[in-house]
Amino acid sequence: MADVLVAEDDDDIRGIIVRLLRRAGHDVRAAADGAQAWQLLGEQPPDIVVSDIDMPVMSGVELCQAIRNDPALQSLPVLLVSGSLMPGDDRPVRAQATAILGKPFSPQELQACVAKALQTGHHRGQPPSSCP
């Protein structure tokens, strides 16, 4: 399966995402915010990043923008997850996210969205796909 880096500031949600992705067979590392995730990216790039949008220190949007600005990482798929994203919010588009998943989500929705993002990869200039 894939090496997944999860960035989520809520301990409970981070634990759920990590558990669900491990059950699906992925190797998962976790960070409590975008800055910690950025540090882990430098140590060993994953196959995909799953990140909350609203986090302290460095948001998921800022993390995604940093990834897109790094030539070594710019093609890395980034799935942004949010429970507060309003219709018309263009932050994921501006950050060039690969996909967006709304909270709450089912285990099947998370796993399907990660699988789809891994399969399609990230293509610069493409709008993020919306997962159920």
Side-chain angles (χ1 to χ4, degrees), residues 20-127:
L20 291 173
L21 293 174
R22 284 186 177 151
R23 283 185 188 160
H26 299 292
D27 292 323
V28 183
R29 292 178 291 153
D33 59 49
Q36 186 180 25
W38 181 247
Q39 182 179 358
L40 291 172
L41 277 165
E43 295 171 10
Q44 178 186 348
D47 298 315
I48 187 171
V49 172
V50 176
S51 178
D52 185 23
I53 288 181
D54 297 312
M55 295 184 290
V57 186
M58 180 184 218
S59 73
V61 170
E62 293 166 330
L63 175 62
C64 188
Q65 289 170 329
I67 290 168
R68 296 295 171 246
N69 290 327
D70 186 315
L73 300 172
Q74 65 186 6
S75 63
L76 183 66
V78 177
L79 167 58
L80 291 180
V81 182
S82 178
S84 62
L85 200 61
M86 300 300 291
D89 188 335
D90 69 344
R91 291 179 298 162
V93 173
R94 285 184 291 136
Q96 301 177 47
T98 307
I100 306 164
L101 178 63
K103 295 177 187 173
F105 52 81
S106 72
Q108 295 82 9
E109 289 169 338
L110 174 65
Q111 292 166 0
C113 196
V114 167
K116 181 179 176 184
L118 282 166
Q119 184 179 37
T120 60
H122 179 74
H123 302 286
R124 216 168 171 86
Q126 293 283 76

